Amino acid sequence: MQTPSRPAPEPDAGTGELRLFHTAPHACGYWPDREARDLVLDPRDPRLGTVYPQALRWGFRRSGDIVYRPHCGDCRACTAVRIPVDAFVPNRSQRRTLARNADIDARVVPAERNDERLALYRKYLVSRHPAGGMDDHGAHEFDQFLIGSWNEGRLLELRLHGQLVAVAVTDLIEDALSAVYTFYDPDFVSRGLGTLAILRQIAWAQRDRRRYLYLGYWIDGHRKMAYKRNFQPLEGFDGRQWRPLTDAAP
């Protein structure tokens, strides 16, 4: 989970207008030899909840109370992507994932921290991000990065015979869901719980008659982002409009 650095303010666009900040350069969370910068909507503006749906359509993303979009000087590798859920058809591998996890129950619950969810989050971070600056996250970081204070969020819980094995943090807007972050029990990695969480979020969006599931950023050529191209059809934001991304291998 990449969190933008503290924003440095640009000149105010005008009294009453939503301010946009440009962060100072910071280490890229995806390419260790690159620096990154982000555009950030004013995190103190009380209208964030109102403008957030449009910000998603403009390629922004939420992390805690921060709404940001990568805006690096010489790199445009990060592409915001979303799935038009009514057109989605699972491929063979995804159908196998659904069949393999037919014994896992899904339920949508309020976006709240409890001891069970926090323990799973910490177990996931220790396994996936050892000594990466996130493996010491506790209750404060859980609330700060996953829950937020102004968004309408829910948690999609996945349980195996009652045991919590995965949580997908999900935002609701009027015509879409946004997949904010997913964490799961590394003891069940062979089940493909990350893929299963997306498939269950797609089904959730379809049931609610929402048009899209936003998946954050895809990066061409980055191994950790390649899985997003498996969900077809997939649309990418080119800075002006959303365009189909083909199902060609990344």
Side-chain angles (χ1 to χ4, degrees):
M1 175 171 50
Q2 183 184 30
T3 302
S5 61
R6 184 178 180 85
E10 292 184 337
D12 194 349
T15 302
E17 295 186 7
L18 185 66
R19 295 199 301 172
L20 189 66
F21 298 152
H22 203 174
T23 69
H26 56 89
C28 176
Y30 302 109
W31 304 109
D33 59 337
R34 302 182 191 182
E35 284 191 334
R37 297 186 74 184
D38 301 288
L39 291 177
V40 179
L41 299 182
D42 185 352
R44 297 170 298 276
D45 196 297
R47 297 166 293 176
L48 274 181
T50 302
V51 302
Y52 179 49
Q54 184 59 57
L56 280 173
R57 299 183 193 107
W58 287 338
F60 282 77
R61 181 100 174 124
R62 182 183 73 82
S63 176
D65 287 340
I66 302 297
V67 179
Y68 72 99
R69 186 175 79 183
H71 191 74
C72 308
D74 299 320
C75 179
R76 295 293 182 268
C78 294
T79 300
V81 292
R82 68 186 186 187
I83 302 167
V85 298
D86 285 344
F88 173 76
V89 177
N91 61 27
R92 181 181 301 177
S93 175
Q94 291 158 354
R95 292 195 298 270
R96 287 199 298 264
T97 297
L98 289 170
R100 184 166 59 248
N101 293 289
D103 53 350
I104 287 184
D105 297 320
R107 66 172 185 169
V108 176
V109 299
E112 300 171 349
R113 168 180 45 85
N114 61 21
D115 291 344
E116 184 184 33
R117 295 165 194 153
L118 178 60
L120 180 61
Y121 177 61
R122 289 177 56 83
K123 182 177 181 179
Y124 174 81
L125 293 181
V126 168
S127 173
R128 294 297 295 267
H129 303 285
M134 295 178 65
D135 51 340
D136 61 349
H137 277 198
H140 173 73
E141 289 80 11
F142 186 102
D143 293 344
Q144 181 181 28
F145 292 119
L146 300 181
I147 304 303
S149 63
W150 50 259
N151 58 292
E152 185 180 358
R154 300 288 188 275
L155 302 181
L156 176 67
E157 289 190 340
L158 301 181
R159 292 182 177 270
L160 177 63
H161 308 307
Q163 178 183 349
L164 183 66
V165 294
V167 175
V169 183
T170 311
D171 283 347
L172 284 65
I173 64 172
E174 62 263 23
D175 67 341
L177 300 177
S178 179
V180 175
Y181 193 71
T182 297
F183 55 95
Y184 54 84
D185 192 328
D187 293 341
F188 296 91
V189 65
S190 63
R191 282 181 169 261
L193 294 176
T195 294
L196 179 65
I198 295 176
L199 293 170
R200 294 294 178 90
Q201 285 171 309
I202 291 172
W204 173 10
Q206 291 170 336
R207 288 194 304 270
D208 283 2
R209 298 186 178 181
R210 301 178 190 268
R211 297 180 62 189
Y212 302 107
L213 173 64
Y214 287 86
L215 287 184
Y217 299 111
W218 166 75
I219 301 175
D220 190 9
H222 197 287
R223 178 181 57 84
K224 290 185 178 180
M225 294 292 178
Y227 74 93
K228 296 184 181 182
R229 287 293 292 269
N230 295 327
F231 295 88
Q232 292 291 331
L234 189 67
E235 297 178 349
F237 187 68
D238 66 5
R240 294 186 177 184
Q241 60 183 315
W242 291 88
R243 296 177 178 273
L245 293 178
T246 68
D247 58 357

